Amino acid sequence: KRQVSTQSTGGNVVSNGAVQVNQYASTILDALMSSIDDEDDTVAMEAMNGLSKVFAVVDETRIAPIIVNICHRIRPAFEKQHDEIRAAAFNLFGTLYRFGKNNSVEAFYEQIHNNLPFLIAHTNDEYNGVREACKKSLHNLSVLFKEEEVAAFLHKLYDETTINRILAYEEFLAEWARLMIKYFPDRISYNVIKAVDYFKSSWSVIRANGVLYTGYLMGGLSEEQRRGVPLNPGMISTEIIGLMKDKNALVREKAAYAMALMYSY
């Protein structure tokens, strides 16, 4: 019953057009937002899918005051075991790009950076639906980056030439780490900490992604840059060595490669 109600709230009202969505925006948003962290996975997924439809047409003025709260509510779903919920959550986050201008530009730009490590890791999720949702979201969000090289790189992830192509993840990760170091050196520490958190993931591919990202970020820093990044290389190296004993061969391989990338420490 709740599932039917959630589906109806998002889909039916949107089908009636932007005018009706904006007329009843408060009621619609309250109903859907209250369900995105529902214990019933199906209800939560339908609420996020409904919000994605609403966000495609609702006025920015309706979302700007609550955009940070929306981001906080979505984030736990990035790590849900249910594949389709993860996909719905990343897709929903990507639809917020419409509201990252004008009144909420600074607040949402900060939320993009707070959530980038999750998007980067799950761009190589074991489930194809999540991989596609992450690529599409990064593509959507690319328009909000002022750095042209960054915007172009993310935009290419899901344009007409790459939409059906399998992503060469290691190449993608190496280039993304280079761009992070070049344009966002003050955010390297946060990204490494989040990547190290993934060493404990229940998904072997995400553990592998986390250790590889750590290797590319830390290995790509110059000696001068390292002095400005508040990290403990010894502790992180110990964590990486721990993954070299992981039960999964892929994780062991990527951990060894990450250590090689950090040879100069």
Side-chain angles (χ1 to χ4, degrees), residues 77-223:
F78 292 163
E79 303 304 320
K80 289 278 189 182
Q81 291 294 321
H82 193 297
D83 295 337
E84 291 180 7
I85 283 197
R86 291 201 308 286
F90 284 118
N91 183 60
L92 179 57
F93 187 74
T95 63
L96 290 170
Y97 81 96
R98 288 186 60 232
F99 314 110
K101 302 162 191 168
N102 304 324
N103 298 336
S104 45
V105 59
E106 293 301 327
F108 187 54
Y109 186 70
E110 199 58 35
Q111 288 304 311
I112 293 173
H113 274 287
N114 287 348
N115 289 285
L116 269 174
F118 305 98
L119 284 155
I120 297 300
H122 286 277
T123 298
N124 193 39
D125 194 277
E126 61 180 24
Y127 177 59
N128 184 58
V130 175
R131 294 196 297 272
E132 292 301 299
C134 288
K135 286 195 295 181
K136 186 178 179 183
S137 289
L138 289 167
H139 166 87
N140 288 346
L141 296 165
S142 67
V143 298
L144 301 178
F145 284 89
K146 303 176 191 76
E147 303 78 12
E148 286 184 21
E149 192 178 9
V150 175
F153 177 72
L154 295 177
H155 188 270
K156 264 193 319 190
L157 281 175
Y158 209 74
D159 64 17
E160 60 278 1
T161 64
T162 58
I163 195 165
N164 295 315
R165 192 185 302 167
I166 294 172
L167 182 68
Y169 186 68
E170 285 194 32
E171 289 175 26
F172 160 77
L173 203 55
E175 180 61 9
W176 176 250
R178 184 189 72 79
L179 292 172
M180 283 293 302
I181 292 165
K182 181 177 179 180
Y183 293 106
F184 312 114
D186 57 325
R187 299 184 188 271
I188 296 298
S189 180
Y190 173 76
N191 274 258
V192 170
I193 289 166
K194 290 300 170 188
V196 171
D197 283 347
Y198 275 131
F199 291 9
K200 298 178 179 65
S201 173
S202 60
W203 294 295
S204 56
V205 71
I206 298 297
R207 294 198 300 279
N209 296 346
V211 75
L212 202 54
Y213 193 28
T214 302
Y216 281 130
L217 285 172
M218 294 191 68
L221 293 170
S222 66
E223 282 196 30

Side-chain angles (χ1 to χ4, degrees), residues 47-99:
M48 285 189 276
N49 289 335
L51 280 168
S52 293
K53 292 172 185 171
V54 171
F55 290 164
V57 295
V58 73
D59 285 348
E60 185 193 1
T61 53
R62 301 287 187 176
I63 302 301
I66 58 170
I67 197 164
V68 173
N69 181 43
I70 292 169
C71 293
H72 289 163
R73 295 285 297 279
I74 296 170
R75 185 156 151 179
F78 292 163
E79 303 304 320
K80 289 278 189 182
Q81 291 294 321
H82 193 297
D83 295 337
E84 291 180 7
I85 283 197
R86 291 201 308 286
F90 284 118
N91 183 60
L92 179 57
F93 187 74
T95 63
L96 290 170
Y97 81 96
R98 288 186 60 232
F99 314 110

Side-chain angles (χ1 to χ4, degrees), residues 253-265:
E253 176 195 332
K254 301 309 176 191
Y257 186 55
M259 281 303 293
L261 291 168
M262 292 171 59
Y263 74 92
S264 60
Y265 278 86

